[in-house]
Amino acid sequence: MQPGASTWSHVPYELNNWSFGVCVVIGILVFGAMFIAMFRFRKSRGAVAEKWSHNTRLEIIWTTVPVIILITLAYFATGGITSWADTTGSQMTVKVTGYQWKWRYDYVEYLGKPISKVGFMSKLDTQSDQTRQLGSGMDPYAVKVGNENTYLLDVDKPLVVPVDTKIRFIITGADVIHSWWVPALGWKLDAIPGIVNAAWTNIKEPGTYRGQCAELCGQDHGFMPIVVVAKSKPDFAKWLADQQAKSNPPPAAPAPAAASTAAAPKTAQIAPAPTTGKSATAKQG
């Protein structure tokens, strides 16, 4: 578990710590009582077993206390789950679809405005894909982004989102069950064909957050990582505008009307009609 990077991710982290603390205390009490009984009251030291078999008061205590503990933990866990599932007031919606073995991201809306034709497939990066091939001879430790080893943890196209924004994820599957899991967000959600699950996140700090499919989905299950890149709101707005420009190119300007190159028609010349009668000769008297 990790504190995470979102406004909600601290909830399961703290609940996990509290639950672990309760388990440690119970373990100390139970195993402590067992060791004391085994060593202090063993037969070799002359211990004689008591004759009673029940103690009503003690049984009420060790039944009531665990019930109270379970109810308390269930109360906090239920509150955490309901808050995580409440996507009302979301400022952005992203559809996530799991495929064998890659993810598709479609941007649905942002700040109340629909987003048209911005979506892409995201799959294992080329360097990791080449390195993983049997007999490649390539070193997995050489697959890095900066100083971070990213073997099987990087993609060709990451999911880009803004910080300080409540983002609703609607998650489904196209073939088999997958599970979209980025530990820094504090939750994972199954991508089931025919079913749409929803959750939300609000990332606090810009950065790159990595995850993986968490549901065994076939032979390449281990090769479908998840990368979320959180940008500041101005940087995300610029990125989104660039993506929309690529997906929706401006319409081509209409071609100018072709100039008429035909010459004006020549005026028809009419030849004089031929003379058919003989010319009259004037006679002088």
Side-chain angles (χ1 to χ4, degrees):
M1 296 293 293
Q2 55 178 275
S6 72
T7 56
W8 184 85
S9 58
H10 69 92
V11 175
Y13 176 75
E14 293 174 357
L15 181 60
N16 175 79
N17 290 347
W18 277 105
S19 301
F20 180 71
V22 170
C23 292
V24 169
V25 171
I26 292 174
I28 291 174
L29 292 176
V30 172
F31 286 102
M34 288 173 58
F35 289 134
I36 291 173
M38 287 189 293
F39 289 97
R40 184 176 177 182
F41 300 104
R42 63 186 187 271
K43 184 178 180 180
S44 60
R45 295 190 61 180
V48 178
E50 292 288 349
K51 302 299 182 181
W52 56 270
S53 59
H54 296 282
N55 185 311
T56 303
R57 180 178 299 176
L58 186 60
E59 290 180 358
I60 291 175
I61 292 173
W62 70 37
T63 301
T64 303
V65 171
V67 169
I68 293 174
I69 293 173
L70 290 175
I71 291 175
T72 303
L73 293 177
Y75 171 78
F76 288 112
T78 302
I81 292 174
T82 54
S83 63
W84 159 59
D86 183 9
T87 62
T88 56
S90 298
Q91 300 163 290
M92 181 177 179
T93 300
V94 177
K95 181 184 177 183
V96 180
T97 307
Y99 291 85
Q100 289 178 312
W101 290 268
K102 50 190 172 288
W103 300 97
R104 178 171 179 83
Y105 302 115
D106 292 290
Y107 292 77
V108 179
E109 62 90 19
Y110 178 54
L111 298 179
K113 297 180 180 179
I115 301 174
S116 175
K117 298 181 181 179
V118 178
F120 50 84
M121 288 290 189
S122 178
K123 63 181 185 300
L124 185 67
D125 69 295
T126 303
Q127 190 177 7
S128 290
D129 192 41
Q130 292 175 348
T131 303
R132 78 180 180 94
Q133 302 302 322
L134 186 64
S136 69
M138 302 175 69
D139 182 11
Y141 294 99
V143 183
K144 291 185 176 182
V145 173
N147 294 323
E148 181 185 8
N149 183 275
T150 57
Y151 178 59
L152 302 184
L153 292 174
D154 203 15
V155 296
D156 57 349
K157 293 182 180 180
L159 173 66
V160 181
V161 297
V163 298
D164 298 322
T165 303
K166 185 172 182 178
I167 306 168
R168 178 179 61 168
F169 292 90
I170 49 178
I171 300 176
T172 188
D175 36 44
V176 299
I177 298 177
H178 303 273
S179 187
W180 201 80
W181 178 45
V182 179
L185 304 186
W187 50 264
K188 66 184 179 73
L189 200 61
D190 284 349
I192 305 172
I195 296 177
V196 175
N197 290 322
W200 67 273
T201 192
N202 189 336
I203 300 174
K204 298 180 290 184
E205 297 292 336
T208 300
Y209 305 98
R210 303 183 188 278
Q212 293 173 298
C213 177
E215 185 73 39
L216 186 60
C217 57
Q219 65 176 8
D220 281 356
H221 159 70
F223 309 116
M224 51 184 302
I226 301 162
V227 179
V228 176
V229 175
K231 295 178 176 285
S232 65
K233 288 186 176 181
D235 287 346
F236 175 76
K238 182 179 182 302
W239 177 88
L240 183 60
D242 291 343
Q243 298 301 309
Q244 289 177 313
K246 292 177 183 177
S247 302
N248 302 281
S260 175
T261 58
K266 295 180 179 180
T267 303
Q269 296 180 355
I270 304 175
T275 303
T276 56
K278 295 181 178 179
S279 300
T281 302
K283 294 180 179 181
Q284 294 180 355

